[in-house]
Amino acid sequence: MTGATRVTGAAGHPPDGEPRESAAGVGPIDTVDTADALAALLRQLRRRAARRNGGAQLTYRQLSARTGWAHGVIGDYFAGKTLPPTDRFDTLVQLLGATGRELRLLATARDRVEEARRSRASAGSRPGPPGADGACAAPPVPRQLPPDIPELLGRGGELAVLDVLRPGPRGSGPVVVALDGPGGVGKSALAVHAAHRLGERFPDGQLYADLRGSHRDERPVPPAVVLRRFLGALGAPRPFTGSAADAAAAYRTLLTERRVLIVLDNAVDAAQVRPLLPAAHGCAVLVTSLGVLATLNGAAHLHLAPLPPPASVAVLGLWAGPGRLAAEHGAAESIARHCGHLPLALRIAGARLAARPRWPVRELADRLADPARRLAELSFADLDMHAALAAGHRDLLARGSTGRAAALALPLLAAGQGELTVAGAAATTGGAVSATEVILEQLVDVQLLESRAPGRYRFHPLTRLFALRSAC
């Protein structure tokens, strides 16, 4: 007997095959032991709530607005693709109008589904290494994500795009999304926040690695080092001592038939990422990098831009503290503008205000108004806007003679105002037009210039200030 049959009441089935609620409520509940059957109960509750309220059923987006969860994840709960965590399940059934008695029965049913799933996983696990006691232990479930930022303002559109991160159908490959953008635009924060929001889709765990591609005074982490860490987290029986190719093969094998979300933060290039990509259809990968990883096969690309001005002020207020900006909204808008609407700069400015509770907001706005001292003012504790922008410059210097030529041209190009053209840049630097175009494109690749149309370029305001002081 299937889970769908077990939740059928005495009233029988409606024409569409959905189990019908009993007159007293939903159920029966006490025989449910599969995610599909539990999801059928959630759908019953949703229909009943609509009838009681005399309106339409709550949409996933409405439930998302009430809970703060991604609407795609909510859809997975109702489809039986994902088992909600205990706290989320309790919140959901309460929103759907479950009675006190139903709450208790539904909580027990949810625990029964989880226990049945764990039993199936244990029964299907491989025998342990030689010398083990012979018991079949369930594979470990890594939870490696860094702490989440409670509120990520101004990124609703980007989070909607990242809703594609989900286990795929059998026979497909993993979903891979690559985030790129200039230093300080909030790539890592967005990736970690999205991974936390969507984590329930991947019940076999979340892996995380900082690849150190944009950190000063540190070398990027070799893929072999990351693979050995991941193998240990996935339950490899002993430290892996084989070649990098063997480690990658073992990693792909361990991920077979698992649903795992992998976050690869601060990648330096596609070559660093490729060995860390799984082959399993149940996995998804989220990569962040300074430049576009255009040669990463099968990846969808999301290019991050600075925040809209209203969201910038909200982010500044989030870090400065409740009510801090209310009496000086104009000064707050000035700070957001001087920060170039970059999340890192806004976070630094907000932290400085929080650390100086007696300062008027206008004091910091006036300090940032001076271009000569702006980048120096955007530094606090371990956060430094200049250091974030310097990552692109280091990448440039590592690109050989053309990269060094671009680095030498950078302060000359930044001395002008407004938009750059290839011909205008060639006149400024004294170089040939063809060589100048190569230089400009190199600067675009490392996010020190923006190009919104062929042959036209511009600096972000903070990047221009960095470039003016970047003489080699």
Side-chain angles (χ1 to χ4, degrees), residues 204-239:
D204 298 316
Q206 298 89 45
L207 296 169
Y208 173 87
D210 185 349
L211 302 181
R212 318 299 286 183
S214 60
H215 290 262
R216 58 181 174 181
D217 304 325
E218 291 190 50
R219 293 182 179 275
V221 182
V225 173
V226 180
L227 284 168
R228 291 185 178 96
R229 292 176 189 167
F230 282 177
L231 286 170
L234 292 168
R238 59 181 65 86

Side-chain angles (χ1 to χ4, degrees), residues 20-422:
R20 191 187 303 276
E21 298 94 323
S22 65
V26 297
I29 303 172
D30 55 2
T31 57
V32 168
D33 63 358
T34 69
D36 286 342
L38 193 68
L41 291 179
L42 291 178
R43 296 194 294 272
Q44 288 181 18
L45 284 169
R46 186 170 168 229
R47 291 196 299 273
R48 188 182 70 179
R51 288 199 303 272
R52 287 178 173 176
N53 296 328
Q57 295 183 35
L58 287 169
T59 66
Y60 298 158
R61 291 190 181 276
Q62 288 171 325
L63 288 168
S64 174
R66 295 188 185 189
T67 60
W69 312 333
H71 69 271
V73 170
I74 293 172
D76 289 347
Y77 295 160
F78 279 96
K81 296 179 180 179
T82 303
L83 179 65
T86 301
D87 57 340
R88 287 197 172 192
F89 184 77
D90 292 345
T91 298
L92 186 56
V93 296
Q94 288 181 60
L95 281 174
L96 297 174
T99 65
R101 179 175 180 275
E102 287 171 341
L103 285 172
R104 293 190 295 273
L105 291 172
L106 287 163
T108 300
R110 186 244 169 244
D111 292 345
R112 192 163 53 245
V113 171
E114 183 169 34
E115 182 59 34
R117 188 177 68 181
R118 287 178 177 171
S119 297
R120 288 191 293 271
S122 296
S125 62
R126 298 181 181 87
D133 59 9
C136 289
V141 179
R143 305 290 186 192
Q144 296 186 339
L145 295 177
D148 193 10
I149 294 176
E151 293 185 75
L152 196 69
L153 303 172
R155 293 301 190 196
E158 290 84 353
L159 288 169
V161 172
L162 293 176
D163 193 58
V164 300
L165 291 164
R166 63 177 69 237
R170 186 174 295 277
S172 66
V175 176
V176 181
V177 178
L179 292 172
D180 67 84
V185 80
K187 301 179 291 293
S188 297
L190 176 60
V192 170
H193 186 72
H196 277 283
R197 279 169 55 95
L198 304 174
E200 288 92 358
R201 292 177 176 173
F202 303 90
D204 298 316
Q206 298 89 45
L207 296 169
Y208 173 87
D210 185 349
L211 302 181
R212 318 299 286 183
S214 60
H215 290 262
R216 58 181 174 181
D217 304 325
E218 291 190 50
R219 293 182 179 275
V221 182
V225 173
V226 180
L227 284 168
R228 291 185 178 96
R229 292 176 189 167
F230 282 177
L231 286 170
L234 292 168
R238 59 181 65 86
F240 196 89
T241 58
S243 67
D246 289 342
Y251 167 69
R252 292 192 294 269
T253 299
L254 282 176
L255 287 175
T256 303
E257 301 301 329
R258 293 198 201 182
R259 290 181 290 171
V260 175
L261 177 60
I262 301 143
V263 179
L264 304 173
D265 204 4
N266 292 310
V268 66
D269 55 26
Q272 188 187 26
V273 171
R274 287 192 194 99
L276 306 175
L277 297 180
H281 66 278
C283 296
V285 184
L286 184 53
V287 187
T288 75
S289 62
L290 187 69
V292 181
L293 303 184
T295 61
L296 199 60
N297 289 347
H301 297 279
L302 179 58
H303 314 295
L304 290 194
L307 294 169
S312 297
V313 176
V315 169
L316 180 65
L318 180 67
W319 293 108
R324 185 67 187 277
L325 309 181
E328 297 183 79
H329 190 73
E333 290 180 326
S334 294
I335 291 174
R337 185 172 62 255
H338 294 322
C339 288
H341 308 292
L342 289 176
L344 177 60
L346 294 163
R347 181 177 181 181
I348 293 169
R352 291 197 65 190
L353 289 174
R356 301 291 185 269
R358 300 184 186 280
W359 275 18
V361 177
R362 173 55 61 186
E363 171 66 21
L364 182 58
D366 290 344
R367 288 169 177 253
L368 292 174
D370 182 359
R373 63 189 293 186
R374 189 173 301 157
L375 281 179
E377 292 287 342
L378 290 174
S379 178
F380 186 79
D382 61 337
L383 303 176
D384 189 340
M385 195 63 224
H386 184 279
L389 296 172
H393 195 259
R394 290 194 302 274
D395 191 355
L396 205 59
L397 294 174
R399 292 180 170 222
S401 59
T402 56
R404 289 192 293 274
L408 286 169
L410 189 57
L412 297 174
L413 296 171
Q417 296 294 322
E419 191 175 68
L420 284 168
T421 63
V422 178

Side-chain angles (χ1 to χ4, degrees), residues 409-411 413-416 418-420 443 448-450 457-465 467:
L410 189 57
L413 296 171
E419 191 175 68
L420 284 168
L443 294 173
L448 291 175
L449 266 184
E450 302 172 23
Y457 307 86
R458 69 176 187 178
F459 284 98
H460 180 275
L462 291 183
T463 307
R464 183 186 296 277
L465 295 179

